[in-house]
Amino acid sequence: IKADPSLPAAGTIIESHVDKGMGPVATVLVQSGTLKQNDPLVVNGEIYGKVRAMKDYLFRTLEDAPPSTPVQIVGFKVAPEVGDILDVSQAIGAEKINVKEKKLRQTGAERQIVVAGDEDVEEDKKKKILNLVIKADVLGSLEAIIGTLEKFKHEEVGVAVVGKGLGFVTEDDVNKAEAAKAVMVGFHVNPTPSAEKLMMEKEVIFARYDVIYDLFNWVKAELEKMLSSEKIATEIGKVKVLAIFRTDRGMMTVGGRVMDGKVKINTLARVIREGVNMGSGKIAQCKVGPQDVKEATEGTECGMRFEGKVKIEVNDSLE
C-alpha cells in the first residue's frame, strides 16, 4: 500500500467531540497526502475551519501529519461527524459552512423524536412515553445511544429523544427537559453549575452514566415501571368436595377427591357449584390421611383447610 505525501491531505474522521477549553475537536486518520498547519479543513465539500493545532496520540504537538498518521485537530468551527471525509484538495470552490445552523445540531438545541415501537402514529399516541434529553461527550457515543434506543420496541411503552447534543448540560437543555417533562441524561458529561441549580429549581431529574449498558438497563427499568400490571391465572387442578368436617368463621375443613391435576397449599381456589363461580379462597392446609402434605395428586382423597367467606357444600368443585 502506497501513498504520496506530497499531495494535499485526505483522511477520515474517526472521533469527534466538543472540548470545554478547545471547542470542537476531531481526530483524523490521514490516508493520503500531508496535513499541515493552517490547511483548510474541508469536510464533505464544506470548509469547517483551518488547522490551528495538531497533536499525535501522545498529545505531542505536530507541524505536519504524513500518510497513516492519526492526528487530533483543533480548528473546527463545529464538530464534524464520525465517518466524514476530510479532503484538503477540495478547498478551491468549497463554501464555508453555515456555523449557526451546524451549531444548532451540536449544542443541544436540535430536537429529534425517536419513538420506540410501531411506526403507526395513532398507535404511538396510545403509548406511555419516556421522554429523554441526551447529552454526550463524543458524537460516536451519542449516535450509538440513539441508535440503540430506536430498537426499543413495545406495544405499551416507548422512548422519545426530545433533545440531543454534545458537551456539558446547559440551562437550555434543562428548560427543554422541563417543557417536555423529560429526564435529563448525561453520558460522560456533567451539568454546568447554573444548569445544576436550575435542575434543582425545576425538579428535573438528571441521570448520569459512564457505561453505555448501564444507561440502557436504566431505560429498560424505567419502561418496565410504566407497564400496566398483569395477572396470570394458572390452572393446576380440580377437587370434588365429598364431605364437610368443620365450619368456622372465615374457614372450613373439607374432604375431597382430586379429579384432575393436583391441589397445592397456599394456592387460590374457586368454588364452583353447578357451573357457577360462588367465590374464591385459599387452600391453607392439605392432609392425606393424618399426614400434612404440600400437595395431593390426581386420584388422591385428601382433607383441606379452606380460608375464605364462601360456604362450601358437598358436591362443590374446587378449581
Side-chain angles (χ1 to χ4, degrees):
I1 299 174
K2 297 181 180 180
D4 188 346
S6 65
L7 298 175
T12 304
I13 308 292
I14 58 174
E15 194 275 330
S16 177
H17 70 279
V18 179
D19 184 88
K20 185 178 180 181
M22 297 184 291
V25 177
T27 301
V28 176
L29 177 61
V30 180
Q31 292 161 289
S32 177
T34 300
L35 189 64
K36 303 175 182 177
Q37 283 274 6
N38 298 317
D39 273 354
L41 294 168
V42 186
V43 179
N44 295 340
E46 295 181 296
I47 299 176
Y48 274 59
K50 68 177 182 178
V51 179
R52 289 196 287 112
M54 291 187 293
K55 295 182 183 296
D56 65 8
Y57 67 99
L58 295 176
F59 296 100
R60 298 175 298 197
T61 300
L62 299 177
E63 294 297 324
D64 52 49
S68 195
T69 304
V71 58
Q72 189 181 69
I73 301 172
V74 177
F76 289 95
K77 295 187 181 297
V78 294
E81 295 190 10
V82 174
D84 282 351
I85 302 300
L86 172 72
D87 191 347
V88 178
S89 67
Q90 295 183 5
I92 299 175
E95 296 184 0
K96 292 184 178 180
I97 58 167
N98 185 325
V99 176
K100 185 176 180 180
E101 179 184 336
K102 292 281 186 181
K103 275 192 173 181
L104 282 175
R105 300 179 183 177
Q106 303 294 339
T107 59
E110 180 186 7
R111 292 179 62 85
Q112 173 174 340
I113 303 298
V114 178
V115 178
D118 299 332
E119 296 181 0
D120 189 324
V121 177
E122 292 302 319
E123 286 296 319
D124 288 339
K125 288 180 180 179
K126 299 176 184 178
K127 292 183 178 182
K128 296 176 183 177
I129 300 297
L130 174 65
N131 290 329
L132 302 176
V133 175
I134 302 175
K135 297 297 289 288
D137 57 338
V138 298
L139 194 59
S141 296
L142 184 63
E143 291 174 342
I145 291 168
I146 293 176
T148 301
L149 291 178
E150 288 178 331
K151 298 176 184 177
F152 280 35
K153 296 184 182 296
H154 195 277
E155 58 189 17
E156 288 187 38
V157 296
V159 181
V161 178
V162 297
K164 65 174 185 175
L166 300 180
F168 286 87
V169 175
T170 65
E171 293 181 59
D172 179 61
D173 300 319
V174 177
N175 288 327
K176 187 182 300 153
E178 184 204 23
K181 296 181 179 179
V183 177
M184 188 73 239
V185 179
F187 185 73
H188 282 293
V189 297
N190 292 313
T192 62
S194 58
E196 188 171 15
K197 182 179 178 182
L198 189 62
M199 279 193 288
M200 294 178 65
E201 292 175 357
K202 295 184 177 293
E203 297 182 346
V204 172
I205 298 173
F206 176 62
R208 185 190 189 280
Y209 290 93
D210 293 317
V211 180
I212 198 165
Y213 299 107
D214 290 341
L215 191 160
F216 295 145
N217 288 336
W218 170 78
V219 171
K220 288 179 182 178
E222 291 299 305
L223 291 176
E224 286 175 358
K225 292 178 186 177
M226 296 162 63
L227 291 172
S228 55
S229 59
E230 182 180 12
K231 289 185 178 180
I232 300 175
T234 303
E235 305 292 336
I236 62 171
K238 185 176 181 179
V239 179
K240 183 177 181 179
V241 177
L242 302 177
I244 307 297
F245 297 129
R246 183 170 175 172
T247 301
D248 297 309
R249 186 175 181 180
M251 182 176 67
M252 296 183 71
T253 304
V254 303
R257 181 181 290 113
V258 183
M259 307 302 293
D260 183 41
K262 58 188 175 182
V263 58
K264 293 177 63 176
I265 62 172
N266 298 321
T267 56
L268 298 178
R270 291 187 294 265
V271 179
I272 306 298
R273 185 174 302 149
E274 296 179 353
V276 179
N277 186 353
M278 306 303 294
S280 62
K282 177 183 176 182
I283 304 297
Q285 187 180 20
C286 182
K287 285 191 173 188
V288 175
Q291 298 295 322
D292 279 320
V293 295
K294 292 184 178 180
E295 62 180 50
T297 56
E298 184 175 341
T300 305
E301 291 189 357
C302 60
M304 296 163 288
R305 190 175 73 190
F306 176 89
E307 295 179 352
K309 296 180 180 180
V310 186
K311 297 300 180 183
I312 300 174
E313 297 179 2
V314 174
N315 292 323
D316 283 353
S317 292
L318 301 182
E319 295 180 347

